[in-house]
Amino acid sequence: MVMIEKMNGQMEAFIPEKVIVSAIKSGAPLNIARDIAEQISGDIHDGMTTQDIKVQLLLLLKSRNPEWEQNWFSWRYGSEQVSDAIIGQDIISDDVIPSIVQ
């Protein structure tokens, strides 16, 4: 079982289904969502952060369909403004979100 570090510093087991759900909520069909989760699962290692996983997910969504990446931001943060402001940035951080929304 691979343990990943959450934003609050706690460790938890990596659950590929969470990646699948995120991809589906972004607009990816189930078969592609599973493929993305499989790709990410192959790169997972102990101590990896949820931030690292999020960046991988967004890159894979964008490579399949750039709209899915934007949909992820809209789903996650509930704002088209946020997704439009962040799309294209090399570093994706929750620290950026509050400053964009304000």
Side-chain angles (χ1 to χ4, degrees):
M1 173 174 20
V2 178
M3 300 299 287
I4 59 169
E5 183 178 347
K6 295 172 58 171
M7 292 293 289
N8 64 9
Q10 291 182 325
M11 301 298 284
E12 77 172 23
F14 172 69
I15 302 170
E17 289 79 11
K18 288 184 176 184
V19 174
I20 294 170
V21 168
S22 291
I24 289 171
K25 288 187 176 189
S26 299
L30 180 58
N31 63 324
I32 293 176
R34 285 181 176 153
D35 184 50
I36 288 171
E38 190 174 303
Q39 286 182 272
I40 291 173
S41 294
D43 293 334
I44 294 293
H45 56 81
D46 279 328
M48 191 172 212
T49 66
T50 53
Q51 177 72 11
D52 297 331
I53 294 167
K54 177 172 55 175
V55 169
Q56 282 190 345
L57 171 63
L58 291 169
L59 290 171
L60 290 168
L61 287 170
K62 185 177 183 177
S63 72
R64 299 293 182 103
N65 182 338
E67 188 176 309
W68 296 345
E69 178 194 32
Q70 186 170 1
N71 290 347
W72 184 91
F73 283 105
S74 296
W75 162 69
R76 176 67 171 84
Y77 298 106
S79 171
E80 291 284 331
Q81 177 187 7
V82 171
S83 60
D84 290 344
I86 294 178
I87 299 303
Q89 289 190 13
D90 291 333
I91 299 173
I92 300 161
S93 170
D94 284 337
D95 298 335
V96 174
I97 302 304
S99 64
I100 293 171
V101 174
Q102 294 176 358

